[in-house]
Amino acid sequence: MPRCAVGWHTAGSPITRDTYHESGNEDGFSRRGDASGFLQEIVSGAHQLRADEPVDVGGGDAAPGPYDYVLVGLGACTSMTVGLYARTKKWPLENISVSLRHSRIHAKDCAECETKDGMLDRIDVDIGLSGALTSEQRAKLMEIAAKCPVHRTLKSEINIRLRTAPGGSLSEGAQTKIQSKPIQTGK
């Protein structure tokens, strides 16, 4: 499975809520590190996360990788959306399990894909639904699964705008901020 080959390593202490508030980043993500490796320390609101790459691509496998987080986001959104719909309808859904895999395939091997040249990303999603559901309810929940907001985002045209921050600092109006600076070692 291909992995993203971009990352940073935090050699110092992990980011704390105090570090997060000091960065002036109340609404987005903060990430701190130097360029010596792949390990990331990430703050998203009140939550602290880590990201890394597998050993076979030079990481330490100390945390999920970037594509793992894409799959986690899609899987969580799918499960939440299906669960919300079933609760709203008062259907007897007891448990939802979502298993996801990311791979790269040759476009010519994808009959349902518009693109026919080069390589494509494929995400396989297996959904388990338990409970005394009718076949019609199961079919509707599978239809609803494809309507989760993250699924729709990943299927839509995405415009990612990369810009160099003026003077090396982040703009105050940015919705998502990523902070990168070498860690001080106390020397």
Side-chain angles (χ1 to χ4, degrees):
M1 168 163 85
R3 301 277 185 146
C4 181
V6 176
W8 300 88
H9 172 72
T10 300
S13 60
I15 296 175
T16 63
R17 283 293 291 163
D18 292 337
T19 307
Y20 176 75
H21 286 294
E22 288 168 10
S23 73
N25 182 10
E26 299 291 329
D27 298 321
F29 292 90
S30 286
R31 199 257 331 118
R32 176 178 129 177
D34 62 28
S36 66
F38 289 114
L39 185 62
Q40 305 263 325
E41 299 287 341
I42 306 161
V43 171
S44 174
H47 309 285
Q48 295 184 20
L49 308 167
R50 296 174 75 184
D52 200 1
E53 291 287 358
V55 173
D56 63 337
V57 296
D61 203 19
Y67 278 104
D68 297 324
Y69 279 112
V70 171
L71 297 179
V72 165
L74 176 58
C77 184
T78 300
S79 181
M80 290 175 183
T81 302
V82 168
L84 174 63
Y85 190 87
R87 285 190 305 277
T88 301
K89 295 291 189 176
K90 297 185 178 11
W91 288 355
L93 177 63
E94 294 173 3
N95 291 299
I96 308 160
S97 60
V98 182
S99 175
L100 305 102
R101 289 168 308 289
H102 171 259
S103 60
R104 299 271 299 158
I105 63 168
H106 292 280
K108 65 183 177 187
D109 296 333
C110 182
E112 71 271 17
C113 296
E114 292 178 23
T115 302
K116 296 299 176 192
D117 295 319
M119 300 291 287
L120 299 172
D121 288 280
R122 171 175 278 167
I123 298 175
D124 291 299
V125 182
D126 297 321
I127 301 172
L129 305 171
S130 66
L133 298 164
T134 66
S135 58
E136 293 81 13
Q137 289 171 329
R138 287 180 187 279
K140 184 63 176 181
L141 291 175
M142 291 300 289
E143 178 187 325
I144 294 301
K147 295 181 179 180
C148 93
V150 172
H151 184 112
R152 291 189 317 208
T153 297
L154 291 172
K155 294 282 290 187
S156 71
E157 178 177 349
I158 299 173
N159 180 324
I160 299 174
R161 302 183 316 172
L162 300 176
R163 300 175 227 194
T164 301
S169 64
L170 300 172
S171 71
E172 291 302 315
Q175 291 179 333
T176 301
K177 299 177 184 178
I178 300 170
Q179 182 181 5
S180 176
K181 60 184 177 183
I183 304 302
Q184 301 298 317
T185 60
K187 291 182 183 180

